[in-house]
Amino acid sequence: MTLRIAVALEDASFAAADWIDAVRQADRARLDFVTFDDRFGRQGPDAVLVAARVAPLTRHVGLIPVATTTHTEPFHLSTSLATLDHVSRGRAGWQVRVSADPAEAALLGRREPLGADELLAEAADAVEVVRRLWDSWEDDAIIKDVATGRFIDRDKLHYIDFDGTYFSVKGPSIVPRPPQGQPVVAALTHGPQAWERLDVDVYFVTPADVSSAAGFVRRIPAGKLVFADIVAFLDADQEAAIRRRGATTSDAAVFAGTPAELADLIAGWQPAGIAGIRLRPGGPGDLATITADLVPELRRRGLFEPSTATTLRERLGLPAAVNRYQEAARA
Amino acid sequence: MPKQIILAAHFPGVNNTTVWSDPDSGSQIDFSSFEHLARTAERGRFDFFFLAEGLRLREQRGLIHDLDVVGRPDTLTVLAALAAVTEHLGLAGTLNATFHEPYELARQLATLDHLSGGRAAWNVVTSHGAFFGENFRRGGFLDHADRYRRAGEFIEAARTLWDTDGGDFAIRSSQFDIHGRFGAPRSPQGHPVILQAGDSAQGRELAARHADAIFSRHHRLEDARQFYRDVKDRLPAYGRRPDSLKIIPGVSYVLGDTDADAQEKAHHIRRQQVSPQTAILLLEQLWNQDLSAYDPDGPLPTADPVLDEDDTIIKGRAGMFPDRIRTANEWRALAEAKKLSIRDLVIEVTGRQNFIGTAARVAEQLDEYVQTDACDGFILVPHLTPAGLDDFVDQVVPLLQERGVFRTEYSSTTLRGHLGLA
Ligand SMILES: Cc1cc2nc3c(=O)[nH]c(=O)nc-3n(C[C@H](O)[C@H](O)[C@H](O)COP(=O)(O)O)c2cc1C
């Protein structure tokens, strides 16, 4: 099995051209997906809208924006991400984030900041609501039956009737089921608090070395894909890369060196059982080096092979999404 | 120079206006449909593309309404994608002020304005109440009486945030108590264009105070002129000039090779729009009660409508009938006089196309509306997705251009620029 390769885009640019340039590079290199960083109160553009802005201009790369569950409406999250899946024709995902920052709570006003445990519980409920809404239309709900004058078969639309501690949501969605059924849900985690509670498909983790990568893979519940984050400063001249890294610190491992050396490191981590690597470009120019130099190097070594699958789920080897309501109706 | 006409393209919506049963009708959700209509509008040098919004699927008699198109995309997300396939066209989205919050929405609108190079517009609507609230954290928290207070404070808050240029703010009003630093620098338009839809006196007052344009439903000539005067007369109280608020009704049209041909087509489309089942449902919306036992080919009910505006038979759609009894009497009188069945009557009285005729006649009538101050332009509502505006752009736009009342090329890059707004 080859690895899946992704890139984390963390810029705060408001210029469409910057995003088009970056995501097209990833698309041309046939990377599996890019993530778009965001926070509720970030100085930067809304990540879902950035992903939508570049979707029609790319054909291959998966698009996974960060969206926060803490001060937002699960209903809006679900419909905007479903729409991203429609406009990208099945390439959408969502990186879940919570907000513990009191300054962000003040941007919404109404609510006191929640404690860490409650933030996670609320996020778990939000993921549940978002997912139920994605299933709330069966794939064949639109019937256009001229004889009876019916556009939909209303029996194939479902109230989700979620009633939780933090919110209740009735449904169904206002958006027909997204092309993937269930867009890919991901989260960055540093420890086990979230692993049993969030219903996500992909975990981004931050191992320091191959044995800690193996530790993450061992402890994360089976069936979830584990991507190891690496901050990458790349240069044909190793010294130059190290100079650029300077005293950079990060939650993830910080690599500085040549593309061949990074390929060595990735090859060394592969036996840990990770599904892929998410590279965080260390600085300007590193994305270009990743796509122009690192990716060909990984392909030469058989560590990466562009996928021919058209949807992000398929590409990640996730099973076709089963609609929970369709199942229930059949049972 | 004669008054210049504003033109916008409304993506076909979830009313019976949209004919889905026609073989030429395409997907209401596939991005290619949005792209087709937006590209057509831009080819026609339109001012903007327009999307409606509904935050819960409509229900009638307590069931999800199944006779019209159901399901649409999220407004902002699809507009952001359309920015990728258009260059000049304004991108207007309907977004509810009740179930959004100022910080998040202002940042999203600023994002759209940046990513589109100054083409974003927000149509502010105030749908509220427990029915919609069931999909949101706060439920039906907002009283009917407060819907425009919140909308007004929301727009003021958004303008404050946009004016910070990514700086600090503190806002305290009856609806909002927020502070911090805004996440976006000043966008190309400074403030995205604000549209308002909503017909009550409070709605008109909100528009007079805050909006750049009104999406109105007044399209009959005299009615439109009266509405036009009404809202423009409200402007001086806010120190605004008449041309700072554009009045743009939603209208439909049918083109034919001859006027008679167009009339025939219009009649055919009306029959497609009002199926027997739809006739009963539309009648129920006025009568506000279950009429499923009635025969669409039979006579109208003799009993009067039920007057309970808090518990309407249709949920999730803006109220259409300010005076149910009067309208019912008018409909009965008309059915009596012309010997019309329920379906024929509904075809006669609901949503008849506004402009019907040859391209030359339609161009002339549109121009007359604008030059005589019935409106400043039109939001065209095609009945077919996605090709419903193709004939208008091919046939009517060139005639408007010949008349010197519509641009032949874009002269601005922003929507504010297209609309001639400061
Ligand atoms: C032409 C027109 C279009 C409207 N479109 C929408 C819409 O797309 N979504 C929505 O929630 N409300 C829509 N509305 C409803 C109004 O914005 C408003 O919320 C409602 O009519 C209540 O306000 P009012 O009492 O002032 O009419 C529309 C109203 C009009 C007149």
Side-chain angles (χ1 to χ4, degrees), chain B residues 10 50-55 72 94 96 123-128 132 144 147-148 196-204 215-217 250 316 318-319:
Chain B
H10 189 303
F50 183 92
L51 274 181
E53 175 202 65
L55 293 177
R72 336 182 222 206
T94 301
N96 177 289
N123 178 37
V124 184
V125 297
T126 58
S127 303
H128 58 277
F132 292 105
H144 182 73
R147 71 196 186 288
Y148 280 110
Q196 184 272 354
D199 205 32
S200 60
Q202 301 102 299
R204 295 177 187 201
F215 176 18
S216 104
R217 60 162 79 117

Side-chain angles (χ1 to χ4, degrees), chain B residues 111-340:
Chain B
T111 298
L112 180 64
D113 205 44
H114 279 286
L115 296 181
S116 65
R119 299 189 277 141
W122 171 25
N123 178 37
V124 184
V125 297
T126 58
S127 303
H128 58 277
F131 179 74
F132 292 105
E134 282 185 316
N135 282 336
F136 297 97
R137 287 177 182 265
R138 300 175 79 186
F141 73 98
L142 189 68
D143 285 344
H144 182 73
D146 289 332
R147 71 196 186 288
Y148 280 110
R149 176 203 285 261
R150 180 175 169 96
E153 290 180 11
F154 199 129
I155 297 169
E156 282 169 7
R159 291 197 192 279
T160 300
L161 293 170
W162 290 327
D163 284 340
T164 62
D165 191 15
D168 293 336
F169 67 91
I171 293 166
R172 206 177 272 249
S173 67
S174 79
Q175 294 290 318
F176 308 110
D177 181 3
I178 60 178
H179 62 91
R181 184 163 168 222
F182 186 52
R186 190 173 171 79
S187 70
Q189 295 187 103
H191 297 183
V193 170
I194 303 282
L195 286 88
Q196 184 272 354
D199 205 32
S200 60
Q202 301 102 299
R204 295 177 187 201
E205 211 56 37
L206 180 92
R209 184 168 193 147
H210 292 296
D212 300 303
I214 298 182
F215 176 18
S216 104
R217 60 162 79 117
H218 298 273
H219 39 58
R220 305 235 182 276
L221 193 57
E222 264 322 305
D223 182 30
R225 286 188 182 134
Q226 206 178 329
F227 177 77
Y228 193 92
R229 277 193 301 274
D230 177 286
V231 285
K232 298 254 178 175
D233 284 351
R234 293 172 194 260
L235 292 172
Y238 301 103
R240 298 182 63 186
R241 292 160 37 94
D243 64 356
S244 68
L245 177 65
K246 310 295 184 187
I247 313 301
I248 330 177
V251 300
S252 56
Y253 70 91
V254 182
L255 301 181
D257 294 336
T258 63
D259 288 340
D261 174 42
Q263 289 292 347
E264 197 170 309
K265 265 166 80 185
H267 185 71
H268 174 70
I269 294 166
R270 290 298 297 144
R271 290 195 79 77
Q272 289 181 312
Q273 289 170 328
V274 184
S275 68
Q277 298 90 340
T278 297
I280 296 293
L281 254 76
L282 289 176
L283 200 69
E284 288 182 344
Q285 289 175 17
L286 172 58
W287 253 262
N288 205 18
Q289 60 190 290
D290 187 341
L291 302 176
S292 53
Y294 281 76
D295 175 3
D297 295 321
L300 269 67
T302 48
D304 278 336
V306 173
L307 301 180
D308 182 352
E309 301 309 321
D310 294 329
D311 187 18
T312 52
I313 189 162
I314 179 152
K315 298 219 166 23
R317 181 177 190 179
M320 304 290 287
F321 304 110
D323 186 344
R324 292 180 187 277
I325 302 283
R326 204 183 89 194
T327 308
N329 286 337
E330 286 167 5
W331 287 16
R332 275 192 295 239
L334 187 65
E336 185 79 13
K338 290 195 170 181
K339 301 274 169 279
L340 300 175

Side-chain angles (χ1 to χ4, degrees), chain A residues 14 38 43-46 52-53 69 72-73 76 83 106 109-110 122 137 148-149 151 154 159 170-171 174-175, chain B residues 20 59 64 66-68 71-72 74 84 99 101 104 107 111 115 134-135 137-138 177 179 182-183 185 277:
Chain A
F14 278 88
D38 206 356
Q43 308 289 307
D46 179 274
R53 176 68 176 82
T69 55
T72 53
E73 292 284 356
H76 293 321
T83 302
R110 273 188 344 256
E122 185 188 49
W137 288 58
T148 57
F151 182 79
R154 64 161 74 100
Y159 295 104
K170 176 86 182 169
I174 52 176
V175 182
Chain B
W20 54 260
E59 294 184 4
I64 292 171
D66 59 359
L67 300 183
D68 293 326
R72 336 182 222 206
D74 173 65
F99 300 109
E101 296 293 334
E104 188 185 22
R107 176 170 171 256
T111 298
L115 296 181
E134 282 185 316
N135 282 336
R137 287 177 182 265
R138 300 175 79 186
D177 181 3
H179 62 91
F182 186 52
Q277 298 90 340

